[in-house]
Amino acid sequence: MALTDRIKEDLKASMKAGEKTRTSVLRMLTAALKNERIQLKKDLGDEDVITVVGREMKKRREAALMFSKSGADDRAEAEEAEAAALAGYMPEPVGEAELEAAIDEVIASSGATTKKDMGRVMGPVMAKFKGRVDGGVVQKKVLGKLG
């Protein structure tokens, strides 16, 4: 089953079950997917859907961080709950050992030695694990190995 079909089915199920938060999140995701489809002028594949879901999760996490900094903990919790609901549509996260091995492999193959070479490492690693790893985590690990 395609990811878009799964999202539609989950939306129907959450509406029937009366899950307000999940229904709201899935409606926002459906709208974001529709906007992406219009912008790209093509039907979305699973990889496109994962990109949109990742973008929406990032928005929720950033909002939660801002709310928690301003003392609105209830709003921060709501944003985190929405991000958690979206996480179910993301692929399995990359394991620590697998990520380390991939970074080491790219560093060795690209000949990167300094922080200036970081882009030569980040690009291939992020492309390999698209949607499965946070860029900030990769950046920290790459900086640790190069700097």
Side-chain angles (χ1 to χ4, degrees):
M1 175 186 299
L3 202 48
T4 52
D5 295 335
R6 186 174 143 216
I7 292 168
K8 287 177 187 176
E9 292 299 317
D10 289 352
L11 176 59
K12 288 178 191 175
S14 70
M15 289 170 64
K16 288 179 183 177
E19 300 171 336
K20 291 183 179 183
T21 302
R22 186 165 174 80
T23 300
S24 173
V25 169
L26 291 174
R27 282 182 175 158
M28 286 187 279
L29 178 58
T30 302
L33 291 171
K34 183 177 180 180
N35 290 337
E36 186 77 6
R37 193 188 68 194
I38 291 168
Q39 186 176 6
L40 295 177
K41 297 178 182 170
K42 67 172 187 151
D43 287 336
L44 302 179
D46 283 352
E47 193 168 302
D48 298 319
V49 174
I50 289 169
T51 300
V52 173
V53 172
R55 188 181 319 137
E56 293 297 312
M57 281 179 59
K58 184 176 180 181
K59 287 179 189 177
R60 302 305 185 288
R61 290 202 172 116
E62 288 173 353
L65 182 62
M66 297 305 287
F67 283 129
S68 65
K69 283 183 179 179
S70 67
D73 293 332
D74 56 329
R75 295 288 309 266
E77 289 175 16
E79 292 291 337
E80 282 295 336
E82 289 181 9
L86 291 169
Y89 300 101
M90 294 297 286
E92 191 67 32
V94 175
E96 193 79 23
E98 185 180 3
L99 180 59
E100 293 281 342
I103 291 171
D104 290 339
E105 179 183 322
V106 172
I107 288 174
S109 67
S110 68
T113 56
T114 66
K115 290 181 184 179
K116 289 182 180 180
D117 299 327
M118 193 164 131
R120 293 190 338 207
V121 178
M122 288 288 296
V125 172
M126 292 302 293
K128 181 176 182 177
F129 298 120
K130 185 166 183 69
R132 296 179 57 204
V133 67
D134 180 31
V137 172
V138 175
Q139 181 182 19
K140 287 177 185 174
K141 291 192 177 298
V142 170
L143 280 174
K145 292 180 182 285
L146 294 179

